[in-house]
Amino acid sequence: MNEIKLNLGCGENRLPGYVNVDKYGEPDMRHDLEVFPWPWSDNSVSEIRLVHVLEHLGKETDVYFGIFKEMYRICRHCSQIFIVVPHFRHQYFYDDPTHVRVVTPLGLQLFSKKANKFWAEQGAANSPLGQYLDIDFELKKTIVKPSSDWYRLHPEKKIDSKLFQEESAIYNNLIEQYEMILEVIKDY
């Protein structure tokens, strides 16, 4: 079986070995990611990259959910989805008028059936989106990238994680972006 790896919303950042997809420019394949269904077969994709893309998509909640349902449909079990987005409290997020959706690690965990079950058992109010939409993604990794403002305030090379979390919860512009990896879970 051929490996299909997608670089969705590639813009000018084309990657070798990927099908580079965008609504604009000169991609390998031109497609609007907010139009469904996507042009790939069920269980045909092994990897997706969404680098500074997801925050531009899904202003309407049903469209945002549709993007996750399509990723789930086209990906195979254990496929990896690499997501990079600006932090919602950084100037980079606010400066671009095409940013329509906040994307956070907890927001992505809402698409996990395992997390949905745990929260239900705890009586938590987290929206069980994995259950509602019958999709399942596990958040496998989150990297939080400190901004230049953080390093200006704290020039030491080693980051004090506790201080970083405390100050980022209070002040804007200390976290530049999130880098996250989702894994597709299909238990057939």
Side-chain angles (χ1 to χ4, degrees):
M1 178 184 286
N2 287 341
E3 289 241 334
I4 298 176
K5 300 189 319 187
L6 301 175
N7 181 20
L8 299 179
C10 66
E12 299 302 315
N13 300 313
R14 298 165 53 93
L15 298 175
Y18 289 77
V19 178
N20 296 283
V21 180
D22 207 301
K23 181 178 176 180
Y24 304 107
E26 302 284 332
D28 301 325
M29 177 181 282
R30 189 180 296 261
H31 183 74
D32 182 344
L33 297 173
E34 294 185 316
V35 173
F36 313 118
W38 288 355
W40 297 281
S41 302
D42 295 2
N43 303 305
S44 64
V45 173
S46 63
E47 182 181 315
I48 294 176
R49 299 189 75 78
L50 290 156
V51 178
H52 288 289
V53 174
L54 204 49
E55 69 272 15
H56 297 271
L57 302 174
K59 181 177 182 181
E60 301 300 323
T61 302
D62 286 343
V63 173
Y64 188 67
F65 290 169
I67 291 163
F68 280 85
K69 291 189 318 191
E70 282 300 288
M71 287 194 295
Y72 190 75
R73 179 185 67 78
I74 67 173
C75 283
R76 298 193 297 241
H77 177 63
C78 292
S79 293
Q80 303 281 295
I81 301 172
F82 297 88
I83 298 170
V84 179
V85 293
H87 190 272
F88 61 96
R89 289 183 50 211
H90 192 279
Q91 200 63 39
Y92 291 162
F93 182 80
Y94 293 114
D95 286 344
D96 189 334
T98 67
H99 290 172
V100 298
R101 171 68 58 178
V102 169
V103 181
T104 65
L106 179 56
L108 294 179
Q109 287 178 305
L110 298 174
F111 296 105
S112 164
K113 287 183 178 180
K114 181 179 172 184
N116 295 165
K117 182 179 180 205
F118 174 78
W119 290 323
E121 290 169 354
Q122 302 301 308
N126 303 50
S127 298
L129 299 180
Q131 296 292 338
Y132 289 168
L133 303 173
D134 195 25
I135 60 178
D136 199 3
F137 298 93
E138 286 296 318
L139 181 62
K140 291 299 198 179
K141 187 173 187 177
T142 301
I143 297 171
V144 179
K145 181 181 177 188
S147 71
S148 59
D149 288 332
W150 167 265
Y151 288 113
R152 186 176 48 76
L153 293 171
H154 303 282
E156 58 275 4
K157 294 277 187 211
K158 188 169 166 86
I159 295 176
D160 178 334
S161 297
K162 185 175 185 281
L163 180 64
F164 183 53
Q165 287 180 329
E166 289 171 354
E167 289 191 355
S168 319
I170 299 169
Y171 304 111
N172 289 337
N173 292 320
L174 296 184
I175 300 174
E176 184 174 311
Q177 69 184 24
Y178 289 121
E179 299 174 23
M180 298 168 284
I181 300 175
L182 290 179
E183 185 174 272
V184 176
I185 307 299
K186 293 186 174 183
D187 296 322
Y188 295 112

